[in-house]
Amino acid sequence: MTEREAYIQKMEAEHREATARFQELEAQSDLAESEDELDLITGAKERSDDFHREVQALRHADQQDWHRVKTAAEKARTRFMDHLDRAGLQWDQLRMGYRREREAELRNLGAQMDQWEAAHQRTAAEDSLLTRQEFDFMKRDLLNTRSLLLHLGHARGAAWKQAREEYEAAWRDLRERSRRIRADSPTDSASPY
């Protein structure tokens, strides 16, 4: 294998690796809250295409153009990698913001449940519509939802998307159960949910 062929293979491998990073970010694009964040994905795709074109140009470059095409490929690779680094940081911030919001929601509901339990303990069991079994179910569901949130914090790419869906489903079920209980409970406390 010539030095030129080895260089082309190296650039193709770097493009595959960078494309995998891009696909991981793209899998989380539903987190985007603004046009600028969506532009990160679009910009990464454009830079990926530029890099791919330059690598292909390397394959077809004749000896006279080799150094010019090689320089263009290096620039395209650098632009793509820099863009991926920026997009990765942005997505890390979005994931952390999403997680912080969900943690606050869980803490809020946990505090409300503690209030309900305290109110329940103050009243006689036969006067309360909120039974011990319902509390046990709610506590178990709250712990399960917290566990899913912890898993969400460690997931990336498509696994993050799946973990988010599981978390959102558990959170909806937990909120719905708490709504039903509050609707039946004489000790209802105001809730934004």
Side-chain angles (χ1 to χ4, degrees), residues 54-135:
E54 293 299 336
V55 170
Q56 292 307 309
L58 279 174
R59 281 210 168 278
H60 304 293
D62 60 22
Q63 192 60 36
Q64 293 175 353
D65 284 345
W66 172 252
H67 290 293
R68 182 188 58 77
V69 173
K70 181 179 174 184
T71 300
E74 290 284 344
K75 285 180 184 177
R77 180 190 58 173
T78 300
R79 282 193 305 269
F80 186 31
M81 297 302 218
D82 289 348
H83 195 84
L84 285 176
D85 290 344
R86 283 193 311 275
L89 289 173
Q90 179 77 29
W91 252 246
D92 285 346
Q93 291 171 352
L94 289 172
R95 278 194 305 273
M96 290 305 295
Y98 179 85
R99 183 175 177 199
R100 280 191 302 273
E101 287 175 22
R102 302 298 81 85
E103 285 172 342
E105 288 172 347
L106 282 174
R107 281 193 307 274
N108 188 3
L109 185 57
Q112 286 182 1
M113 288 173 57
D114 290 343
Q115 289 174 350
W116 299 334
E117 190 169 22
H120 175 71
Q121 291 170 352
R122 285 191 316 264
T123 61
E126 62 271 9
D127 293 337
S128 175
L129 296 175
L130 197 53
T131 68
R132 182 79 237 157
Q133 186 179 20
E134 288 171 324
F135 268 126

Side-chain angles (χ1 to χ4, degrees), residues 62 125 155 168 187:
D62 60 22
E168 291 288 345
T187 58

Side-chain angles (χ1 to χ4, degrees), residues 18-185:
T19 299
R21 281 181 62 200
F22 166 69
Q23 289 170 342
E24 183 179 324
L25 292 173
E26 191 175 38
Q28 299 167 53
S29 63
D30 59 337
L31 269 181
E33 298 173 344
S34 71
E35 246 351 272
D36 290 341
E37 291 158 355
L38 287 173
D39 287 345
L40 280 173
I41 293 294
T42 305
K45 177 69 175 135
E46 290 168 359
R47 283 165 182 80
S48 174
D49 292 344
D50 291 346
F51 186 23
H52 180 73
R53 274 191 300 279
E54 293 299 336
V55 170
Q56 292 307 309
L58 279 174
R59 281 210 168 278
H60 304 293
D62 60 22
Q63 192 60 36
Q64 293 175 353
D65 284 345
W66 172 252
H67 290 293
R68 182 188 58 77
V69 173
K70 181 179 174 184
T71 300
E74 290 284 344
K75 285 180 184 177
R77 180 190 58 173
T78 300
R79 282 193 305 269
F80 186 31
M81 297 302 218
D82 289 348
H83 195 84
L84 285 176
D85 290 344
R86 283 193 311 275
L89 289 173
Q90 179 77 29
W91 252 246
D92 285 346
Q93 291 171 352
L94 289 172
R95 278 194 305 273
M96 290 305 295
Y98 179 85
R99 183 175 177 199
R100 280 191 302 273
E101 287 175 22
R102 302 298 81 85
E103 285 172 342
E105 288 172 347
L106 282 174
R107 281 193 307 274
N108 188 3
L109 185 57
Q112 286 182 1
M113 288 173 57
D114 290 343
Q115 289 174 350
W116 299 334
E117 190 169 22
H120 175 71
Q121 291 170 352
R122 285 191 316 264
T123 61
E126 62 271 9
D127 293 337
S128 175
L129 296 175
L130 197 53
T131 68
R132 182 79 237 157
Q133 186 179 20
E134 288 171 324
F135 268 126
D136 291 343
F137 280 133
M138 287 289 289
K139 289 287 189 178
R140 188 189 69 234
D141 287 352
L142 183 63
L143 290 173
N144 181 50
T145 304
R146 282 183 179 146
S147 174
L148 289 170
L149 183 61
L150 285 174
H151 175 67
L152 177 70
H154 300 291
R156 295 286 187 266
W160 189 90
K161 196 169 194 172
Q162 176 66 31
R164 179 181 177 192
E165 289 170 5
E166 289 172 5
Y167 169 81
E168 291 288 345
W171 174 242
R172 280 190 304 275
D173 290 346
L174 183 60
R175 285 189 325 195
E176 182 56 34
R177 185 183 299 258
S178 71
R179 274 193 202 106
R180 283 194 310 263
I181 289 172
R182 281 194 316 275
D184 293 341
S185 175

